[in-house]
Amino acid sequence: MPRYLKSTDHIAFEVDDLVARITLNRPEKRNALSNAMIAELHDALLEADARVDVHAVLLSGAGKDFCAGYDLSDVYAGHEAPSEDDPQYRSLNATLDDDAWGIEQTQRKLSVIMDLHKPVIAKVQGNCLAGGTDIALMCDMVLAADDAKIGFPAVRANGTPPINLWFYHIGPQWTKRMLMTGDLLRGRDAARVGLVLESHPAKELDAAADELVRRVSRIDAELLSAQKRVVNMAMELSGARTLQRFAGEMDAWAHLSVGPRRTKFRADMKELGLKEAVRNRDEPFGSSVIKLRDDD
């Protein structure tokens, strides 16, 4: 069993007053999820779950953003061909089954958030996009800054969420609204539709998250585990676990799309790079932020 008594290359880890604080720590990359970060996050979460001096976990992102998504430079990067003497491994771009297999490996590492016996609270500021939502929506509670931006813009050209819990937070219509447009919700409106638990002014988010995780951590760990596992079993009985296998397979199928938007994105990535590919993908949509009417 790993012992992360110190921070790693991509994760900051510390324990204080019954709370493990795990921080995605690639601020220069907007905390984009690389394979290395996913592996380190997985091990840090297991470390927190194993320690008796931890009752709850606060998951956050360093810098301006919670997480801007999966590191597409990782996903679309070319790899040096192995020599004939080297073992041959799956290539994620080779076949449908290879792609589905790779998605399942990532699912297994990140789904540990739901499988922990201890509650995980996410604190979301700035951008929480694509893979960032895969992480946040698996947490037991999510607090967001009022001006945070939450959504999955990659559905416009890249695929479908490989970890899909949207339905369990906001129901069928809002899930379709978000995933059929790639639009974004501000934190304040995400709270209104139930995508996050609460939103707070950005300057007050740290204090609000600290107070919530403090209150949760005062409860005995065994009792917290009982509450979490009962609620998660209710989600499993309504298909949440089975849906993840289906979502991963559908993402692999979506990657085979030869539609113009998917084809152009792949070409832009190869010829122009990530930044320009994303700009070209999103430009036809104009402003992506959904604006809900105020009640008053």
Side-chain angles (χ1 to χ4, degrees), residues 202-223:
K203 292 182 179 180
E204 301 173 16
L205 180 62
D206 286 349
D210 287 346
E211 174 58 14
L212 178 59
V213 74
R214 185 194 69 81
R215 292 178 68 84
V216 170
S217 68
R218 297 308 99 176
I219 304 296
D220 290 345
E222 292 81 2
L223 296 176

Side-chain angles (χ1 to χ4, degrees), residues 10-292:
H10 302 103
I11 298 293
F13 180 91
E14 61 180 75
V15 175
D16 180 57
D17 194 22
L18 302 178
V19 175
R21 297 176 182 273
I22 299 176
T23 306
L24 308 178
N25 196 24
R26 296 179 79 203
E28 73 285 357
K29 295 286 189 178
R30 299 165 66 196
N31 299 319
L33 295 170
S34 64
N35 290 331
M37 176 185 273
I38 289 170
E40 292 177 13
L41 174 61
H42 169 268
D43 288 347
L45 287 162
L46 290 182
E47 164 73 5
D49 210 33
R51 287 179 57 156
V52 297
D53 59 344
V54 172
H55 285 194
V57 177
L58 182 63
L59 180 61
S60 60
K64 295 181 179 180
D65 299 305
F66 174 73
C67 175
Y70 292 104
D71 189 339
L72 295 185
S73 62
D74 231 21
V75 174
Y76 287 89
H79 299 285
E80 183 178 349
S83 71
E84 293 182 359
D85 295 331
D86 290 333
Q88 305 298 302
Y89 292 97
R90 290 176 182 260
S91 170
L92 299 186
N93 298 318
T95 69
L96 171 66
D97 189 65
D98 285 346
D99 194 7
W101 177 87
I103 291 168
E104 288 168 11
Q105 305 314 302
T106 299
Q107 282 181 334
R108 289 191 181 99
K109 290 184 175 70
L110 294 180
S111 293
V112 71
I113 296 171
M114 290 185 67
D115 294 335
L116 294 192
H117 287 225
K118 295 171 183 175
V120 182
I121 296 170
K123 180 179 68 176
V124 170
Q125 84 286 359
N127 289 300
C128 178
L129 307 177
T133 65
D134 282 353
I135 292 176
L137 297 184
M138 278 191 293
C139 293
D140 301 291
M141 289 171 268
V142 182
L143 300 188
D146 288 342
D147 61 354
K149 291 189 289 186
I150 304 171
F152 211 107
V155 297
R156 293 170 173 173
N158 302 77
T160 187
I163 299 174
N164 197 322
L165 289 167
W166 290 78
F167 171 84
Y168 295 92
H169 290 275
I170 54 177
Q173 292 194 64
W174 264 107
T175 295
K176 291 175 182 177
R177 170 69 177 86
M178 298 299 291
L179 300 186
M180 290 180 176
T181 64
D183 287 341
L184 312 177
L185 280 167
R186 294 284 188 183
R188 176 174 177 270
D189 289 330
R192 293 174 66 182
V193 303
L195 189 62
V196 305
L197 176 66
E198 301 172 1
S199 75
H200 298 269
K203 292 182 179 180
E204 301 173 16
L205 180 62
D206 286 349
D210 287 346
E211 174 58 14
L212 178 59
V213 74
R214 185 194 69 81
R215 292 178 68 84
V216 170
S217 68
R218 297 308 99 176
I219 304 296
D220 290 345
E222 292 81 2
L223 296 176
L224 291 172
S225 175
Q227 316 308 345
K228 174 170 179 171
R229 295 175 76 185
V230 167
V231 175
N232 282 4
M233 179 58 72
M235 294 175 64
E236 288 188 27
L237 290 172
S238 60
R241 186 73 65 175
T242 302
L243 180 65
Q244 301 321 302
R245 178 65 178 266
F246 183 70
E249 291 178 358
M250 286 298 98
D251 191 28
W253 275 107
H255 293 164
L256 297 179
S257 170
V258 293
R261 294 191 57 78
R262 173 71 173 159
T263 301
K264 178 171 174 52
F265 185 87
R266 292 180 67 89
D268 286 349
M269 276 289 298
K270 183 176 181 179
E271 298 171 13
L272 305 174
L274 173 60
K275 185 176 181 179
E276 193 67 16
V278 170
R279 189 190 71 80
N280 290 341
R281 181 194 70 190
D282 294 340
E283 187 175 42
F285 293 86
S287 175
S288 294
V289 178
I290 297 170
K291 295 182 179 179
L292 299 184

